[in-house]
Amino acid sequence: MTPANLADTVLSAARAVFETRGLDVAALPATTAVERPRNPEHGDYASTLALQLGKKVGVAPRELASALAEELGRRDGIKSVEIAGPGFLNIRLDAAAAGVLARDIVLAGSAYGRTDRLAGERINLEFVSANPTGPVHIGGVRWAAVGDALSRLLRTAGADVGTEYYFNDAGSQIDRFARSLLASAKGEPAPEDGYGGAYIAEIASDVVKRSPEVLAQPDEQAQETFRRVGVELMFAEIKKSLAEFGVDFDTYFNEKDLHDRGELQEALDRLREQGHVFESDGATWLRTTDFGDDKDRVLRKSDGDWTYFAADCAYYLDKRKRGFDRVVIMLGADHHGYIGRMKAMAACFGDDPAKNLEILIGQLVNLVRDGEPVRMSKRAGTVVTLEDFVDALGVDATRYALARYSSDSPIDIDIDLWTSASRENPVYYVQYVAARTASVSRNAAEVGLTRGEPDEFRPELLSNEKENELLKALGEYPETVAFAAQHREPHHVARLLEKIAGAFHRFYDEPACRILPKGEEPIGDGNRARLWLNDATRTVIANGLSLLGVSAPERM
């Protein structure tokens, strides 16, 4: 029995109690949930439904809990129900009801864990969006891992998701990039406000190869050539790095297109219609203070130039016009002040900032070796890049390490730990279970052990404490996926995978839970039942690792 099945059973029992007692059935929720008690001695699952409904229908919660417990005790698969405190229900399943989960998981395969919790939501998820003035740096690497995992989670929870990379190819930083390339090509030092690092020399050289006449052009014309070709080369490299990291976007959106299509003016006109635009000191402003911002924001400067904020407004409006109900933007720690102005901007458009716009802030990451932060890239000169991360840890370990922690917490990634072949290395610990379960399946086939037909499975034989512990952990997976998607926190999936890995190791090491027959022992139903449990474990580990963009190896 899965937690979802049990929750349905609890709700069905509540309906029966309400009908028997003449209570208002309309007071019942459409869905309910069951949870794991913190103390396993309290049972397999707990429900607070009696506490939620008691006052609502005028019945003491403990009295309602007593009626629910009696009704649940009649249901198949329920071993016992105890009432605790003011009306908690502690539920124990019989072995057969608990064990059938192994078969359900194997039969569901990659679909196990999919829900419709977010069905009907159209979400635009923007992440990384690094400026095309250099390689993806350490902050962008974190968002690449977390953002891609989140997009997978949201889709698994039923949302319609469009992933997006905002390609900032307009503005002063691109001018500095072009000037830096031109200076490098001429053998001159980088401008004071320019960019350094070996990658600048590499790209400058590539621009010259593509456009050999560039150095004979006047500086203004040459700078434009370096801008156009250099940005193209840099962004192609960024896309290649991300693709090798397993991250591809549905849409790469150019800021320059907003300008070329007149969308900044369109956004200004829309905001003016809403009554939130005013003129002052020759500039055009948006009165964001009406919606909680700490100051009003300039949209167009007195010299006629648009501000970055004006482009932000136009870009948000463009996403909404494309039919996205919710715009989710993932930003680095230095953008915390961005939240207030963006929320106010959404309100100025007439949207509900709590519903239509969500901004996630990621904290800093350090790559550490021998207890000291790795300070800079050999190629970029001043920052740690995506390539540095992958060179140090590999794709799987990098993705897992960055997705394993809440993104609003700063983290240190220890190279020695994350490259070790030990149980202290979380990704190795989880992937080892993927490989071990695959090995068990291969070895079973060699001795003629198969799971047999689904209707031959005897779930009641999975009655050992270690088997029950593993089944409970596997049963948590669907709700964990839904919770992680709703709260935008992929790290919950990683932590559950580690819990499952620990439970599997304890199950595997328990002499009473041998999967393969020993010596000349005949193959029995117990061996077959535990093979179902082994294969269910591999299914969940593989599904969870896939959500994080990490492989589930068959051999290690």
Side-chain angles (χ1 to χ4, degrees), residues 132-181:
T133 54
V136 178
H137 61 73
I138 193 166
V141 180
R142 184 173 199 176
W143 276 140
V146 175
D148 189 60
L150 181 54
S151 72
R152 296 167 187 241
L153 270 170
L154 293 171
R155 288 174 175 134
T156 300
D160 179 1
V161 181
T163 57
E164 194 142 320
Y165 187 117
Y166 185 50
F167 178 28
N168 191 329
D169 55 351
S172 59
Q173 79 279 9
I174 301 297
D175 291 334
R176 294 198 300 273
F177 178 62
R179 291 199 304 272
S180 302
L181 293 175

Side-chain angles (χ1 to χ4, degrees), residues 429-509:
Y429 189 56
V430 173
Q431 286 185 315
Y432 186 75
V433 171
R436 173 169 270 186
T437 51
S439 174
V440 168
S441 294
R442 290 193 300 272
N443 293 337
E446 289 176 4
V447 299
L449 170 60
T450 65
R451 294 192 303 262
E453 295 300 318
D455 58 0
E456 298 171 344
F457 171 54
R458 295 187 58 192
E460 72 276 8
L461 297 178
L462 298 176
S463 58
N464 186 276
E465 178 186 350
K466 304 302 181 187
E467 294 162 346
N468 190 251
E469 179 190 0
L470 178 54
L471 284 163
K472 286 180 182 179
L474 296 174
E476 291 179 35
Y477 181 74
E479 182 59 34
T480 299
V481 169
F483 181 90
Q486 287 179 298
H487 294 271
R488 321 305 192 220
E489 295 178 336
H491 68 276
H492 292 292
V493 174
R495 297 310 175 102
L496 177 60
L497 293 181
E498 291 162 36
K499 179 179 179 179
I500 291 170
F504 178 81
H505 285 304
R506 289 186 287 275
F507 154 73
Y508 185 85
D509 294 338

Side-chain angles (χ1 to χ4, degrees), residues 233 294 303 333 495 501:
L233 290 168
D294 58 347
D303 63 4
R495 297 310 175 102

Side-chain angles (χ1 to χ4, degrees), residues 232-253:
E232 179 185 334
L233 290 168
M234 188 72 255
F235 194 56
E237 184 175 316
I238 289 172
K239 289 175 71 173
K240 180 174 179 289
S241 297
L242 288 168
E244 291 172 350
F245 194 53
V247 179
D248 290 292
F249 291 85
D250 298 319
T251 301
Y252 293 91
F253 192 101

Side-chain angles (χ1 to χ4, degrees), residues 10 13 41 45 83 87 106 119 136 178 189 216 247 283 286 310 323 338 369 371 403 419 473 489 502 515 520:
V10 171
E41 294 180 2
Y45 294 95
I83 304 166
V106 174
V136 178
V247 179
L286 184 63
Y338 197 72
R369 177 184 282 120
T419 54
E489 295 178 336
I515 301 171
E520 298 300 317

Side-chain angles (χ1 to χ4, degrees), residues 331-349:
L331 299 172
D334 56 341
H335 286 77
H336 203 279
Y338 197 72
I339 298 176
R341 78 188 70 167
M342 289 296 288
K343 291 283 189 179
M345 173 267 290
C348 287
F349 275 120

Side-chain angles (χ1 to χ4, degrees), residues 286-365:
L286 184 63
R287 191 173 283 107
T288 52
T289 52
D290 285 351
F291 297 99
D293 195 8
D294 58 347
K295 62 181 180 180
D296 294 325
R297 303 290 171 174
V298 177
L299 294 171
R300 200 164 199 169
K301 295 182 281 189
S302 56
D303 63 4
D305 286 346
W306 295 101
T307 62
Y308 287 124
F309 184 62
D312 291 336
C313 294
Y315 186 34
Y316 172 79
L317 182 60
D318 184 274
K319 291 176 176 178
R320 294 284 286 123
K321 286 194 304 180
R322 282 186 271 146
F324 291 105
D325 308 309
R326 184 180 291 268
V327 172
V328 181
I329 308 172
M330 308 176 83
L331 299 172
D334 56 341
H335 286 77
H336 203 279
Y338 197 72
I339 298 176
R341 78 188 70 167
M342 289 296 288
K343 291 283 189 179
M345 173 267 290
C348 287
F349 275 120
D351 281 350
D352 179 353
K355 175 185 176 184
N356 301 118
L357 177 63
E358 190 174 337
I359 298 177
L360 308 178
I361 300 293
Q363 295 300 321
L364 299 175
V365 182

